[in-house]
Amino acid sequence: MTIANKATAEPCQQNTTSATFPNRLTFNGLDANAVKAKIDIVDYISQFVDLKQSGHTFKGLCPFHDEKTPSFVVSPNWQNYHCFGCEKKR
Ligand SMILES: [Zn+2]
């Protein structure tokens, strides 16, 4: 009988999403190509921004400007984002 209680070290974890975003400011350096090539933009951005689903888009506080109410919208369908506060978009 084999032992089931070995440490859960999953070797094939594909979570190599380089989380090299030290702070919100560097969000400006968002690598659009990396986003497109690798992962869903919502997954990616939600590492840095707290996104809440709203219909078929996601909303969160904009990383590009200071705000209290979320005007930063991410659309998984279009794989892009748009801020209605500071008009940043991809
Ligand atoms: Zn903004």
Side-chain angles (χ1 to χ4, degrees), residues 30-45:
L30 178 65
D31 187 343
N33 292 325
V35 174
K36 278 208 163 160
K38 276 181 157 179
I39 30 165
D40 191 84
I41 192 168
V42 174
D43 275 1
Y44 187 63
I45 292 181

Side-chain angles (χ1 to χ4, degrees), residues 40-54 57-63 70 72-75 81:
D40 191 84
I41 192 168
V42 174
D43 275 1
Y44 187 63
I45 292 181
S46 62
Q47 291 175 91
F48 319 108
V49 182
D50 191 24
L51 293 174
K52 295 226 165 29
Q53 186 155 18
S54 155
T57 57
F58 289 79
K59 281 185 139 188
L61 293 176
C62 177
F72 183 71
V73 177
V74 181
S75 164
Y81 57 79

